[in-house]
Amino acid sequence: MTKRSLDLSLDEAAIRAWACDVELALADQDEDLMLGARHEFYPLLATLAKDAACPRADECLAIMDFNLMFRVLRAFPDAEAQVEKTIGYLLDSDRSLVAAFIHVNRLRLDLLRGGSVASEARALELGTSALNGISRQAEISATDAGSDWVVELSVPPLHLHKEWLTIDKATGGYTFRR
């Protein structure tokens, strides 16, 4: 399959054309990063993600998921507002992957808002949502480290890429590192 690149500025028409043609590229590389960083296009991406007939519906959802994941992990000041707005764009969908996205992002909101994380199961649930979302399928484990939970993402098969989310048990405050 040979990809054709759109030679247009990034606008609603270009995104719609891209979403309907899997052989069309918006850019030479990293179109997912380019679209994910443009929150003004999230209402459109959400509309496309809700449409089961759209060839790139799942990709539209994954683009938003990946961007929101790192906004939460890096605790961007606008992360909570962006997650809430994005969930709002998707609430009227009956697609199961969209429901999974909403669930994951509600857990990300719980992580952002803090609060006691008393059990390993809760730390694992928050860590899985924060680190994997719907976009990744890495292995996740949680370890009791005294006053913290350390949630580790490890990518098979060689487990060379790892990420850690350390969650304070009492406050729910967290740090992320790679």
Side-chain angles (χ1 to χ4, degrees), residues 150-173:
V150 177
V151 182
E152 179 183 273
L153 172 142
S154 184
V155 180
L158 301 176
H159 301 280
L160 298 176
H161 178 82
K162 294 184 183 243
E163 297 175 2
W164 296 269
L165 186 65
T166 303
I167 306 171
D168 183 285
K169 290 179 182 179
T171 67

Side-chain angles (χ1 to χ4, degrees), residues 2-8 23-29 31:
T2 303
K3 287 241 181 191
R4 302 177 328 273
S5 288
L6 263 175
D7 191 21
L8 301 169
E23 292 185 21
L24 195 58
L26 288 174
D28 290 336
Q29 62 181 1
E31 62 192 13

Side-chain angles (χ1 to χ4, degrees), residues 7-133:
D7 191 21
L8 301 169
S9 61
L10 190 59
D11 61 14
E12 184 173 332
I15 294 168
R16 283 188 183 280
W18 164 83
C20 293
D21 184 347
V22 295
E23 292 185 21
L24 195 58
L26 288 174
D28 290 336
Q29 62 181 1
D30 298 331
E31 62 192 13
D32 56 335
L33 298 176
M34 178 180 65
L35 273 176
R38 302 281 303 269
H39 289 257
E40 68 270 23
F41 292 123
Y42 277 33
L44 174 58
L45 290 174
T47 297
L48 296 166
K50 291 185 289 187
D51 181 0
C54 175
R56 291 196 171 161
D58 292 353
E59 190 172 348
C60 290
L61 203 58
I63 285 168
M64 293 184 291
D65 182 62
F66 197 74
N67 180 271
L68 293 176
M69 173 177 53
F70 281 104
R71 290 187 101 64
V72 169
L73 289 172
R74 293 181 176 132
F76 280 33
D78 70 341
E80 186 173 343
Q82 289 298 334
V83 170
E84 286 175 341
K85 281 198 292 192
T86 305
I87 288 171
Y89 301 143
L90 294 160
L91 287 175
D92 61 345
S93 177
D94 61 356
R95 295 190 65 226
S96 61
L97 189 59
V98 172
F101 174 93
I102 290 170
H103 176 73
V104 158
N105 279 286
R106 284 184 172 147
L107 288 167
R108 287 174 177 164
L109 286 173
D110 288 350
L111 181 66
L112 280 168
R113 292 172 179 156
S116 173
V117 181
S119 71
E120 181 178 338
R122 180 65 172 165
L124 196 56
E125 178 182 42
L126 292 171
T128 299
S129 294
L131 294 166
N132 264 347

